[in-house]
Amino acid sequence: MTGIIAAAGISLLVSFALMPPLIKILYRFKFGQEIRDDGPQGHKTKQGTPTMGGIAIIFGSVVGYFGAHAVTMTPPTVSGVLVIFLFVGLGCVGFLDDFIKIYKRRSLGLRSGAKMLGQVIVGVGFAIGVTMFPNSYTYTPGSTHLSLLRDFGPPMAVWLFVIWALLLIVATSNAVNLTDGLDGLATGATILSLVAYVIIGNWQLRQSCVNALEPNCYTVRDPLDLAVVAAAALGGCIAFLWFNAPPAKIFMGDTGSLALGGLLVGLAITTRTQLLLLVIGGLFVLITASVIIQVGSFRLTGKRVFRMAPLQHHFELKGWAETTIVIRFWIIQGLFVAAAIALFYLEWMPR
């Protein structure tokens, strides 16, 4: 528990301290957000708001994670380092995307193929890594089984698991990216998801098969350290939300959204809760589904289901205030997270 508190606290302080100078630097070099012409007209006032604030989240989280290990005088684990690798790696892909947008003064950065290639390179490294490095109990950071609340079914071939992991990584990182359309929306939703993973990691530690070989014990390699990773990112996100709350002084950009999406899926794979991520990140799923429905409907029928996709912009065009949408969507995400934690606990309870 000391490591969890230290990670969150250090990350919070570092990210919070970094935000004001980062905002000044981004303003000075005119690293501002380019707003799409076909977006909601109310967003025109956000033109030029500094972006790439995800740098502070990533930096603070990494310092928080390793700082917590310095405080507790324990070495980082393979599971934690691999999730951090995915987090930082996708953040780098997002940074390139943001930089190109700013440099070329356009709302689109990396070409879709180049962006996908970056996600694949980082994702393959992570996916292969989690199948290696067994500990003394032969537990690896991830497993080639599917998982919901724990592993189930037969193991997949490693190559098939890598493809499955890549699908999860690309889908989740892009889902968080789609959600990052209103001030504070994606950050707040991510904070709620990270709270779930702090609870899950801590619970898996207490019910680990290493401590007691009981029917419902967990075979997760490093559950406590995964909770530390989640807590470190939680602190960084809370600090960022202070400056990202409406009206935002800075946006996270793809630097932050791709990194946070990667972090969530990394935690899902290493805690053996791959499919539970659909509930933990329920708001991200809803918003992504709205884009799929909108595109599919228009291509098949020539008609749009929503006034605009992603879903948050539909409600903007209906006249909802931005803060109203953000708070109501946070409530929806909170209900999803509560349902996920309840499912996780109820599955463990002896029958």
Side-chain angles (χ1 to χ4, degrees):
M1 184 59 75
T2 302
I4 292 173
I5 295 171
I10 294 171
S11 178
L12 176 67
L13 293 174
V14 171
S15 296
F16 199 91
L18 184 61
M19 288 304 304
L22 178 62
I23 292 171
K24 288 182 180 178
I25 291 170
L26 293 173
Y27 261 124
R28 181 177 298 173
F29 289 96
K30 298 181 179 180
F31 282 7
Q33 179 69 43
E34 296 293 324
I35 303 299
R36 292 173 55 182
D37 293 330
D38 58 349
Q41 292 304 304
H43 287 204
K44 293 296 183 181
T45 58
K46 301 181 181 184
Q47 180 81 20
T49 301
T51 188
M52 296 195 293
I55 293 171
I57 300 176
I58 295 170
F59 185 80
S61 300
V62 172
V63 172
Y65 172 72
F66 288 104
H69 282 285
V71 169
T72 58
M73 292 184 288
T74 56
T77 66
V78 173
S79 300
V81 171
L82 283 170
V83 175
I84 290 291
F85 163 77
L86 183 61
F87 178 49
V88 175
L90 290 184
C92 291
V93 175
F95 176 83
L96 287 174
D97 190 47
D98 286 333
F99 185 81
I100 290 172
K101 289 176 187 175
I102 294 165
Y103 182 75
K104 296 194 174 182
R105 299 295 177 189
R106 66 188 192 192
S107 61
L108 296 175
L110 282 172
R111 301 293 181 186
S112 58
K115 192 173 182 178
M116 179 70 73
L117 178 61
Q119 291 172 307
V120 167
I121 291 172
V122 176
V124 167
F126 170 80
I128 293 174
V130 296
T131 64
M132 303 169 64
F133 309 108
N135 63 8
S136 57
Y137 297 94
T138 72
Y139 300 163
T140 53
S143 79
T144 56
H145 294 264
L146 289 174
S147 60
L148 175 60
L149 304 167
R150 60 182 74 240
D151 288 342
F152 67 87
M156 292 179 271
V158 173
W159 66 267
L160 185 59
F161 169 76
V162 170
I163 293 174
W164 167 243
L166 280 176
L167 289 174
L168 291 176
I169 290 166
V170 172
T172 308
S173 58
N174 288 330
V176 176
N177 184 246
L178 289 171
T179 305
D180 185 31
L182 300 181
D183 298 352
L185 179 58
T187 313
T190 302
I191 286 171
L192 292 168
S193 296
L194 290 171
V195 168
Y197 278 114
V198 171
I199 294 171
I200 287 171
N202 192 49
W203 186 256
Q204 288 176 333
L205 170 70
R206 296 176 185 276
Q207 311 301 329
S208 173
C209 294
V210 172
N211 300 325
L213 199 60
E214 298 177 352
N216 287 347
C217 64
Y218 297 99
T219 57
V220 176
R221 189 188 192 282
D222 305 297
L224 177 59
D225 205 39
L226 295 172
V228 171
V229 172
L234 179 63
C237 285
I238 291 172
F240 177 76
L241 184 58
W242 182 270
F243 299 90
N244 186 233
K249 294 182 179 179
I250 189 170
F251 301 137
M252 71 168 69
D254 284 17
T255 305
S257 60
L258 293 186
L260 290 173
L263 177 71
L264 291 177
V265 74
L267 290 169
I269 290 173
T270 50
T271 59
R272 314 292 206 270
T273 56
Q274 298 163 15
L275 299 179
L276 187 64
L277 182 59
L278 293 172
V279 186
I280 292 175
L283 180 65
F284 305 127
V285 175
L286 285 179
I287 287 175
T288 303
S290 72
V291 175
I292 295 171
I293 291 169
Q294 184 85 324
V295 172
S297 175
F298 187 75
R299 288 183 177 177
L300 291 174
T301 67
K303 297 180 180 179
R304 293 179 172 86
V305 176
F306 306 103
R307 295 187 181 186
M308 182 177 288
L311 188 61
Q312 62 268 32
H313 299 320
H314 167 77
F315 289 105
E316 274 192 289
L317 295 184
K318 288 191 69 174
W320 288 23
E322 182 170 349
T323 51
T324 300
I325 299 169
V326 170
I327 292 172
R328 288 178 177 174
F329 276 33
W330 282 354
I331 292 170
I332 292 170
Q333 173 66 356
L335 293 173
F336 273 119
V337 169
I341 293 172
L343 285 171
F344 188 81
Y345 178 73
L346 291 172
E347 187 272 344
W348 170 83
M349 288 182 65
R351 294 172 178 80

